[in-house]
Amino acid sequence: QVQLVESGGDSVQTGGSLNLSCAASPFAYSAYPLAWFRQAPGRGREGVASIDHDGPTNYADSVKGRFTISKDDAKFTLYLQMNNLQPEDTAMYYCAARRKLWTGYLPPLAQSEYHYWGQGTRVTVSS
């Protein structure tokens, strides 16, 4: 059974930090890569960060230097450390897993490349 459960969303002020977690069922966790997406009100879903089974990561330009994606294989858990949060980071954040291995250079950030999704956790950044 595929299950992805996000947590850690909250309301913070500009410049604050949050660490999102995604608890995955073993089947979902084995379906590398894993990724975080977000969807702001009235906008489409965008890829934020992704990580492949052997460690390579990929980030959207808007979050480079502020967000860090990581994983704990022993706990089947994906993380997103978010620092220096800005109002434009306000969104619902989703964890995603791909059904099959990725053979590209860096793990993808395109929504179409992922097959399993969590229900999301909300992040609100106020100025």
Side-chain angles (χ1 to χ4, degrees):
Q1 182 177 359
V2 177
Q3 190 172 19
L4 298 168
V5 180
E6 303 93 336
S7 62
D10 204 346
S11 296
V12 297
Q13 293 189 327
T14 298
S17 297
L18 286 174
N19 190 25
L20 305 184
S21 298
C22 173
S25 60
F27 180 82
Y29 196 84
S30 67
Y32 288 111
L34 301 167
W36 287 98
F37 286 76
R38 68 185 180 186
Q39 187 166 14
R43 302 187 66 177
R45 192 170 295 188
E46 64 169 340
V48 174
S50 57
I51 186 166
D52 212 341
H53 66 285
D54 54 350
T57 57
N58 195 10
Y59 295 92
D61 289 342
S62 59
V63 306
K64 283 180 181 177
R66 300 189 299 123
F67 291 10
T68 302
I69 188 171
S70 63
K71 58 187 179 72
D72 186 331
D73 294 344
K75 296 182 179 179
F76 301 112
T77 302
L78 180 70
Y79 302 99
L80 185 67
Q81 176 65 43
M82 305 187 295
N83 298 327
N84 191 22
L85 283 161
Q86 303 295 314
E88 53 265 34
D89 295 317
T90 295
M92 186 72 81
Y93 283 72
Y94 299 90
C95 174
R98 183 173 158 82
R99 186 165 54 223
K100 53 187 178 181
L101 293 177
W102 175 253
T103 59
Y105 176 60
L106 291 177
L109 290 175
Q111 183 178 350
S112 59
E113 298 292 350
Y114 292 87
H115 309 97
Y116 307 120
W117 297 86
Q119 293 302 306
T121 186
R122 186 172 300 279
V123 173
T124 303
V125 185
S126 58
S127 57

